[in-house]
Amino acid sequence: MSYQIPKFRHPELPVNDLGYTKADYEGSISTLCAGCGHDSISGAIVKACHELSIEPHKIAKMSGIGCSSKSPTYFLGKSHGFNSVHGRMPSVVTGAAMANRDLIYLGVSGDGDTASIGMGQFAHVARRNLNMVYIVMNNGCYGLTKGQDSATADEGSVSKKGDANVFSAIDLCSTALQMGATFVARSFSGDKEQLVPLIKAAISHRGFALIDVVSPCVTFNNNAGSTKSYEFVREHAEATGTVDFVPMQKEITTDYAPGSSHEVTLHDGSSIHLYKMSEDLDPFDRTSALMNMEKHRTAGDILTGLIYMDKDSRDLHDVLETSRRPLNTLDAEDLCPGNQMLKNINASLR
Amino acid sequence: MKRLESVNDFVIKFANVNGTGSASANNMFAKALFRMGLPVSPKNIFPSNIQGLPTWYEVRVSEKGYLGRRGGVDIALSVNPQSMAQDIQEVEEGGYFIYDNTKPLDLRLVRNDVNIIGIPLTRICNDEYSDPRQRQLFKNVIYVGALAALLDMDFKVLTDLVKDQFKGKEKLILPNIHALELGHQYAKANLECPIGIRVKTSDKVGDKILLDGNTALGLGAIYGGATVAAWYPITPSTSVVDAYEKYVRRVRIDPGTGEKNYAIVQAEDELSAIGMVIGASWNGARAFTATSGPGVSLMSEFLGLAYFAEIPTVLFDVQRAGPSTGMPTRTQQSDILSAAYASHGDTKQVLLFPSTPKECFDFGAQSFDLAERLQTPIILMTDLDLGMNDNMSEPLEWDDARQYDRGKVMTAEQLEDGIEFGRYLDVDGDAICYRTYPGTHPKRGAFFTRGTSRDEYAVYTEKGEEYEKNMLRLMRKWDTIKEYVPQPEVVEASEKTDVAVLYYGTSEESSRESLDHLAGEGIHLNAMRVRAFPFNDDVKAFIEDHEQVFVIEQNRDAQLRTLLMAEFEFGPDKLKSVLCFDGTPISARNISKQIRQHLSGGAIEPLHRTKIASQAGESA
Ligand SMILES: Cc1ncc(C[n+]2csc(CCOP(=O)(O)OP(=O)(O)O)c2C)c(N)n1
Ligand code: SF4
C-alpha cells in the first residue's frame, strides 16, 4: 500500500527554473524498511531532477522486480512508471526508447534483478548504448525474497542463514565497462554530495549510463553474531509471539573528500571501505578505469565516483539512424506505403 | 505395365541433398507451371541441417484448384542416393521414378509396378562443365529442362522465367537457359516424351499470386504501421523479420536525410524481444516480434504482464513441431494451448488463425489495430507450411482510405479538459479502459504500469475485492474481444447433414478437398473454419447444431478441441479428432480416411482420440 504525500507545502520552498518545488518531484511515501539505502537513492533522484529543472512528465521511470524496483513509486509522482518483470527492465526500456526518443529513461534495478536473472539484458543494453540512466541499488542480497545472497555479494560474506558465500562477486561496473557502457559510476546511497551530481551527469550523458550504488539493506545485511542482526532480534521477538519483525534503523550516511578513503559501518556492524576518485583521475580512458577499479578492489576498497565516460558516445538511435521524429508520433500517412506499391508487389509474384 | 495418365493433375516429389542449390531449380519448375495458368502448391520438406541431409520438394498440381497436400506421389525425381529406397517406395502404382542413371540403379530397389526413367545427369554435367560448382548447380537446372520435355511443358515459359529471375544479373541468363536446353534435348532425343502425366496451358490462376506467409506477414506489419521490430532468430519465423526489413528499407527511409521511420533490433533472446515490443507499445508505437514455439515458451512471463497490465503487444508465432526442439523444420499446429493460456495465473490470450498469405497480410496488419483497440497481446498463429512455402493466394490489397485504429488513448487536450482519468476505469462499459502515453501532460494522466494488482487508478493494492473486480472486468473484456476478432467462416454441405467438420489455419485446403471427396461418396459434412480465439457464439451454435463435429488439426493432443471443450464445456463425445502430427502438412487422403473410420457403417461411432493418434502418423 502506498500513501499519497499530503499536498500542503510551505509556500516559500525553493523553486527551480520551471517554477517547481522539490515536492513536484516526489512520489508516494515509501513503504520500504525505515533506513533502507534505497530510500536515500530515491531522495537523491528527486534532488537531481529538481536541480536539473527537468519536466517530471518527460521522465519515464522503469524497473524490474525487488525492493529496489519498487522505489520508482516513491519518486517522480508525475512521471509514467513501469514495474516490468524480474530482471527484464532493460528490454522494456529499449522498446520504449525506440518508440519515443524524446523522453528521459531512468531505469532502477537491484543487484539480484541485474546481476542474476537480468545479467543478459544488462550486458546487452550496455553494449547497445541505449540512451538511459541505469541505477542499481546494490545491497549484495535479495531484499524482497528475504535475504539470499546476490551475485554481487563478496566471497566470504555471510548471509542471513549464516552461510558464507563461496562464489566470487560480479562487479557490475567492470562488467558494464567491458560490455561497452559509455558512462560508468559508483556511489554510496548515503553520500548525497557525490550521488546527486553523478545522477545529474548520467541524465545529461547521451548513451548508456550506469550508476552502481552501494545501498545497505537494513533488514538483511546483518550477520549472525551482531546484536543488531535480524536473526538476533527475531529470536528475541519470537518469544513475544511476533512473527515478523523489521528493525527500525537510521539511514547510513557518509561524507568524505575526493581522493580519500573512508570506512562505513553497516547495520550489522560490518564495514566497507569506500574510496572516492580523486579529481585528477582521468575518467575518459576505459583501460585505466578498469585498472583503477581492479587496483582498489584488490586493496579491499570500493572505488566510487565517475569511473568512465565517453564524451563522443553515439547512442542506439545514432547507430540505427532512426528518425529525429519519435516513431510513436508517426501515423498512417507516414507509415503506410499505399495500395499502388502492393500492386507492384503482386505483379512481381506472378 | 500400368501407366498413370492425367492432365494437369498430379503430385511430383523432388528428392535432393540439402545445400546443393536444388531449391531454386525446383522453385523454377513450380513457378513455370504457375505461369502456365496451373494452380500449384509447392512444399519444402527439409531437415534441420545446413548441408548434406536429404531434402524434398513436393509440388501438387491441380487444375481443380486443390492446394493442400493430396497424399501419395505420382512422379518421384530422385537425385539423392541416400533417400532413393524410400523415394521409390512412395511412388503410386503406375507412377514414374526419375533418377540419375550415370550410375546403374541398385537392382534391389527396382519396382515392377513403377515406370523407371533414367537420365545421366552427372555425365551430362561432367561432359559440359569443368567447374565443380557449376556441375552441381546446373545438374538441377538440367533435370528441370528434362521434365519440361517429359511433361510437355511450354519451354518458352521456362526461358522467360529465367530472364525475369535473373534481371540485374544478366550474365546468368544464358548459362541457365543452356542448361535447361541440355536437359530438354536429352529427354527429347532419348526418352519417350511425353509420359502419361502431362501439363497443358490453362486459365485457372487468374490474378492470383505465389507468396509465402512469412513475407506476407512482414508486409502486413509494414502496412499495419509497425515501426519497431524486435526478434531473435528461430526457424521458421526468421523470414518474417527478413521480409519486413527488406521492404521497410524501400519505403521508410527518408531519401534526403537517410533517417529511418523504423527500428529493428535483433534481441539477445526472446525474453528481450517481447520486452522490447511491450516497452515500445506502452510508449505508443506499433511493435511486433516473430517467433516459434520455443520462443513462445520464453515469452510467456512477459505475455502475462501484457495481458494483466493491458499493453498492446503483437506476436507472430510461426509454429513448428514440438515439444522442446522437436522437429525444428517440420510443421505442426501445436502451440495452440500454450499460446492461448500463455503465462501463469488466469490468463487468456487472443489468437488469430490465418490460412492463406492474403490472410497473413490482412490479419498481420489488423493485429496492430486489434492490439491497440483491445489493449492486450494478439498472437497470430501460422505454421511452417504456410510461413515458408509459396502458397497460391489472392493478390494483396490495401484500402488507401483506411486509418489506423489507435484505440482508447487520452490526449493532452482531453486531460486538460479535466476528464477523470483512471487507467483501469471502465468508462464506456466495454471493459476497455483509457490509457495515456508517457509524457503526454505535465500534471495529469501519469500512471504506474505494473504486473502486481492495482485499483482502477493504477495504485498498488492487495485488497481482494479490488483484485477480483479487475479480473472480472478482464473477463468482460474477453466478451468485447469476441466482436472484434475475425469471425468464423461456414461452408454448408450441398445436402442436409448433422455431422460437421471444424478446422483452422493450414488445415483448410486439405479439409475442403477431403469434404469434396467424401461428398462424392455420399458423406456430406458442413464445415466451419475458426479464425480466432476467443471463439464467438457462432462457434458454439455451430457445434450445438450438429450431432457430431470432427475437429481437424495438426498436433497429437487435439489442442483446439481441448480449447473448445474448456471454453464451452462440451462433452468429449461431441467433438471427434482428426489429427496429423508427423511434421508434414495434413493431406486430404489422411483426413478422408480418418473421417471414414469414424463413420464406418454409416453409424456415428465415438472413437477416442488415442485410437486415432496411433494411426495419424501415416502421412497418407
Ligand atoms: C521470474 C521471477 N523469479 C523470482 C522472483 C522473486 N523475486 C522477487 S524480487 C527478487 C530479488 C530481488 O533482489 P534485488 O534485485 O537485489 O532487489 P532488492 O529487493 O534487494 O532491492 C526475487 C528473486 C520473481 N518475482 N520473478
Ligand atoms: S528488505 Fe532490505 S532492501 Fe528491502 S526495503 Fe528492507 S532494507 Fe530495503
Side-chain angles (χ1 to χ4, degrees):
Chain A
M1 174 73 203
S2 327
Y3 303 86
Q4 295 300 320
I5 291 174
K7 291 267 153 41
F8 177 76
R9 289 278 158 172
H10 194 280
E12 274 157 34
L13 282 175
V15 295
N16 62 12
D17 294 349
L18 296 171
Y20 290 139
T21 66
K22 226 174 96 198
D24 291 312
Y25 294 85
E26 283 167 356
S28 310
I29 284 177
S30 171
T31 59
L32 301 183
C33 308
C36 175
H38 302 353
D39 279 334
S40 320
I41 303 173
S42 297
I45 292 170
V46 168
K47 192 160 190 285
C49 292
H50 179 241
E51 287 176 13
L52 278 180
S53 292
I54 292 170
E55 295 218 70
H57 73 295
K58 292 294 180 195
I59 297 180
K61 42 180 189 172
M62 326 282 285
S63 63
I65 298 292
C67 297
S68 33
S69 287
K70 280 174 181 239
S71 67
T73 314
Y74 316 132
F75 57 79
L76 298 169
K78 294 191 175 62
S79 307
H80 275 70
F82 197 143
N83 283 152
S84 61
V85 293
H86 194 21
R88 267 59 65 73
M89 169 270 282
S91 60
V92 179
V93 186
T94 306
M98 285 298 97
N100 183 359
R101 60 191 296 170
D102 282 356
L103 298 181
I104 293 166
Y105 294 94
L106 176 58
V108 171
S109 181
D111 44 319
D113 203 57
T114 292
S116 291
I117 192 166
M119 189 66 173
Q121 296 214 344
F122 171 68
H124 286 273
V125 76
R127 95 175 232 276
R128 292 193 187 101
N129 203 21
L130 188 76
N131 190 17
M132 75 174 293
V133 179
Y134 192 121
I135 296 180
V136 181
M137 304 184 169
N138 190 344
N139 54 16
C141 68
Y142 287 13
L144 201 59
T145 48
K146 304 206 164 185
Q148 302 78 9
D149 280 334
S150 86
T152 64
D154 287 323
E155 196 174 339
S157 81
V158 180
S159 77
K160 100 179 184 209
K161 277 199 290 181
D163 298 335
N165 176 23
V166 293
F167 299 110
S168 68
I170 290 175
D171 185 311
L172 290 172
C173 287
S174 314
T175 306
L177 267 175
Q178 278 167 359
M179 292 301 147
T182 50
F183 181 109
V184 175
R186 175 139 46 207
S187 191
F188 180 73
S189 60
D191 187 356
K192 278 215 171 68
E193 296 304 312
Q194 185 188 49
L195 186 53
V196 172
L198 282 178
I199 296 173
K200 285 159 93 175
I203 291 175
S204 309
H205 174 71
R206 183 181 181 84
F208 184 77
L210 168 73
I211 312 180
D212 178 27
V213 191
V214 178
S215 174
C217 169
V218 181
T219 308
F220 297 114
N221 70 356
N222 34 31
N223 306 353
S226 160
T227 51
K228 286 197 198 116
S229 78
Y230 180 77
E231 288 296 299
F232 179 88
V233 182
R234 196 183 59 171
E235 263 164 34
H236 291 256
E238 266 166 2
T240 64
T242 316
V243 287
D244 196 10
F245 180 82
V246 176
M248 287 281 276
Q249 297 275 13
K250 274 186 73 169
E251 174 192 347
I252 303 168
T253 57
T254 182
D255 184 15
Y256 60 114
S260 72
S261 137
H262 188 75
E263 185 173 332
V264 177
T265 307
L266 300 184
H267 299 103
D268 59 353
S270 67
S271 63
I272 50 172
H273 288 262
L274 301 176
Y275 181 90
K276 204 174 270 188
M277 282 200 34
S278 53
E279 272 145 4
D280 55 0
L281 258 178
D282 175 15
F284 304 119
D285 180 343
R286 196 181 287 269
T287 320
S288 85
L290 274 166
M291 277 162 49
N292 250 312
M293 266 192 300
E294 190 54 23
K295 197 179 88 194
H296 284 92
R297 198 186 61 79
T298 331
D301 286 343
I302 299 166
L303 184 65
T304 71
L306 175 59
I307 294 169
Y308 175 72
M309 184 179 165
D310 175 358
K311 284 183 290 190
D312 306 317
S313 154
R314 292 179 75 233
D315 85 331
L316 182 56
H317 278 291
D318 297 332
V319 174
L320 293 184
E321 299 171 327
T322 349
S323 82
R324 284 293 329 155
R325 218 176 122 193
L327 293 176
N328 70 350
T329 62
L330 305 171
D331 215 338
E333 320 57 279
D334 312 296
L335 299 176
C336 190
N339 196 41
Q340 185 53 49
M341 160 140 169
L342 277 185
K343 285 189 176 160
N344 300 343
I345 292 175
N346 288 331
S348 72
L349 298 169
R350 290 198 180 105
Chain B
M1 191 201 307
K2 184 179 161 189
R3 216 169 79 118
L4 279 183
E5 308 263 343
S6 75
V7 178
N8 293 353
D9 184 11
F10 62 95
V11 174
I12 179 168
K13 191 169 181 181
F14 297 84
N16 300 97
V17 182
N18 210 20
T20 53
S22 55
S24 59
N26 297 345
N27 191 267
M28 188 196 297
F29 170 79
K31 188 100 183 228
L33 293 175
F34 181 71
R35 286 195 172 188
M36 286 175 69
L38 285 172
V40 290
S41 58
K43 296 195 187 302
N44 274 296
I45 302 164
F46 59 103
S48 176
N49 170 278
I50 306 299
Q51 202 185 354
L53 289 182
T55 175
W56 292 273
Y57 186 80
E58 186 179 294
V59 185
R60 168 106 191 252
V61 180
S62 160
E63 178 129 35
K64 290 200 187 105
Y66 292 129
L67 299 175
R69 267 188 96 212
R70 181 197 72 185
V73 175
D74 302 322
I75 307 170
L77 188 144
S78 175
V79 290
N80 185 0
Q82 246 184 302
S83 65
M84 210 170 255
Q86 176 191 340
D87 298 333
I88 195 166
Q89 276 315 314
E90 281 179 6
V91 180
E92 305 267 287
E93 206 187 313
Y96 305 82
F97 179 75
I98 305 170
Y99 74 110
D100 180 353
N101 67 352
T102 308
K103 271 196 200 147
L105 188 62
D106 182 344
L107 285 178
R108 284 166 301 179
L109 298 182
V110 174
R111 267 176 67 185
N112 292 326
D113 59 343
V114 166
N115 302 285
I116 293 176
I117 301 170
I119 307 173
L121 293 166
T122 307
R123 204 192 68 218
I124 299 175
C125 278
N126 289 354
D127 290 349
E128 190 72 19
Y129 308 104
S130 52
D131 176 53
R133 180 80 189 136
Q134 279 185 329
R135 281 179 175 172
Q136 191 179 59
L137 278 177
F138 286 124
K139 197 195 294 187
N140 306 317
V141 184
I142 290 170
Y143 69 60
V144 174
L147 275 176
L150 289 167
L151 298 173
D152 201 16
M153 287 167 73
D154 182 348
F155 196 71
K156 186 168 177 303
V157 173
L158 271 172
T159 51
D160 286 351
L161 186 63
V162 168
K163 287 175 195 158
D164 287 352
Q165 269 177 358
F166 294 107
K167 219 172 238 143
K169 299 178 200 151
E170 267 69 20
K171 275 207 315 243
L172 297 174
I173 294 177
L174 280 182
N176 272 282
I177 292 181
H178 179 63
L180 283 171
E181 278 165 350
L182 280 177
H184 199 242
Q185 281 156 8
Y186 178 88
K188 283 257 173 206
N190 301 288
L191 303 171
E192 191 194 328
C193 294
I195 56 173
I197 293 172
R198 282 183 302 122
V199 291
K200 234 173 66 191
T201 303
S202 178
D203 57 357
K204 295 291 168 356
V205 164
D207 63 350
K208 297 217 175 55
I209 55 172
L210 262 191
L211 175 64
D212 65 81
N214 283 357
T215 304
L217 271 182
L219 284 165
I222 294 177
Y223 276 76
T227 52
V228 177
W231 68 296
Y232 187 74
I234 185 169
T235 306
S237 72
T238 299
S239 53
V240 174
V241 184
D242 287 346
Y244 175 79
E245 183 158 22
K246 171 176 154 191
Y247 288 104
V248 86
R249 270 203 196 132
R250 294 193 198 161
V251 296
R252 294 249 198 93
I253 301 184
D254 185 313
T257 59
E259 284 185 359
K260 294 175 179 154
N261 277 340
Y262 65 91
I264 301 173
V265 185
Q266 185 185 320
E268 58 273 27
D269 52 35
E270 287 86 350
L271 305 168
S272 180
I274 192 85
M276 291 179 195
V277 171
I278 288 172
S281 309
W282 173 75
N283 230 353
R286 293 189 152 192
F288 76 99
T289 185
T291 191
S292 193
V296 175
S297 295
L298 285 179
M299 291 174 182
S300 282
E301 188 192 16
F302 254 135
L303 285 169
L305 172 82
Y307 168 80
F308 193 48
E310 300 179 64
I311 305 169
T313 303
V314 174
L315 159 60
F316 300 150
D317 175 13
V318 189
Q319 299 167 87
R320 64 189 213 182
S324 186
T325 321
M327 293 196 285
T329 58
R330 307 298 161 119
T331 198
Q332 254 178 18
Q333 298 174 311
S334 52
D335 299 347
I336 306 299
L337 285 173
S338 61
Y341 300 131
S343 196
H344 52 275
D346 293 324
T347 339
K348 282 172 190 278
Q349 310 288 6
V350 180
L351 312 181
L352 308 182
F353 305 118
S355 49
T356 61
K358 170 87 161 64
E359 274 190 346
C360 284
F361 175 78
D362 291 341
F363 290 10
Q366 197 189 351
S367 302
F368 299 93
D369 281 349
L370 288 173
E372 291 198 317
R373 163 60 44 188
L374 306 169
Q375 296 180 23
T376 201
I378 304 294
I379 310 180
L380 186 148
M381 314 286 295
T382 69
D383 56 27
L384 181 142
D385 179 22
L386 174 55
M388 289 187 70
N389 290 318
D390 273 341
N391 282 262
M392 199 165 97
S393 166
E394 295 295 328
L396 308 181
E397 257 181 289
W398 186 260
D399 173 5
D400 284 329
R402 177 167 160 181
Q403 288 297 315
Y404 296 149
D405 179 357
R406 306 305 307 259
K408 298 186 184 184
V409 181
M410 276 210 181
T411 60
E413 294 73 41
Q414 288 169 315
L415 291 165
E416 189 63 41
D417 287 348
I419 295 176
E420 188 192 21
F421 174 74
R423 170 64 181 101
Y424 299 106
L425 264 182
D426 181 7
V427 185
D428 302 326
D430 58 0
I432 301 171
C433 312
Y434 285 80
R435 59 181 188 137
T436 56
Y437 297 156
T440 300
H441 191 282
K443 295 206 170 64
R444 305 201 175 109
F447 66 90
F448 222 108
T449 301
R450 45 163 53 96
T452 37
S453 84
R454 68 274 145 153
D455 64 13
E456 290 166 322
Y457 297 89
V459 176
Y460 176 68
T461 176
E462 289 178 19
K463 278 192 195 139
E465 61 272 25
E466 286 291 339
Y467 170 82
E468 274 187 4
K469 198 160 128 191
N470 191 32
M471 290 297 281
L472 290 171
R473 179 180 57 76
L474 286 170
M475 271 312 284
R476 278 189 284 114
K477 180 161 119 176
W478 192 246
D479 282 332
T480 304
I481 293 173
K482 291 176 182 164
E483 295 161 26
Y484 282 90
V485 293
Q487 303 299 308
E489 256 180 21
V490 174
V491 184
E492 277 184 30
S494 55
E495 282 181 32
K496 214 171 145 27
T497 170
D498 58 7
V499 188
V501 297
L502 192 146
Y503 47 80
Y504 59 103
T506 47
S507 309
E508 178 184 22
E509 288 291 342
S510 319
S511 301
R512 302 267 304 252
E513 180 179 355
S514 158
L515 295 193
D516 282 358
H517 290 167
L518 291 169
E521 297 167 17
I523 303 171
H524 297 276
L525 301 143
N526 290 329
M528 172 174 266
R529 177 162 73 97
V530 175
R531 299 198 299 168
F533 175 69
F535 311 118
N536 69 8
D537 292 340
D538 290 355
V539 178
K540 189 172 183 210
F542 180 84
I543 295 172
E544 276 167 356
D545 283 353
H546 291 90
E547 188 75 20
Q548 192 128 75
V549 178
F550 298 112
V551 183
I552 301 170
E553 46 186 329
Q554 304 180 43
N555 58 63
R556 183 193 69 181
D557 288 349
Q559 297 195 20
L560 188 77
R561 175 177 179 265
T562 305
L563 205 54
L564 287 162
M565 294 202 304
E567 295 289 313
F568 292 134
E569 298 177 8
F570 288 120
D573 284 347
K574 183 99 185 177
L575 301 169
K576 294 282 159 264
S577 281
V578 171
L579 304 171
C580 169
F581 56 94
D582 64 1
T584 61
I586 194 166
S587 71
R589 285 185 186 175
N590 189 354
I591 295 170
S592 302
K593 188 182 89 186
Q594 293 189 46
I595 290 179
R596 275 191 219 105
Q597 275 169 353
H598 277 298
L599 297 172
S600 56
I604 298 163
E605 214 184 289
L607 198 58
H608 196 270
R609 73 161 184 252
T610 48
K611 268 206 226 167
I612 290 298
S614 63
Q615 299 149 358
E618 299 174 33
S619 54

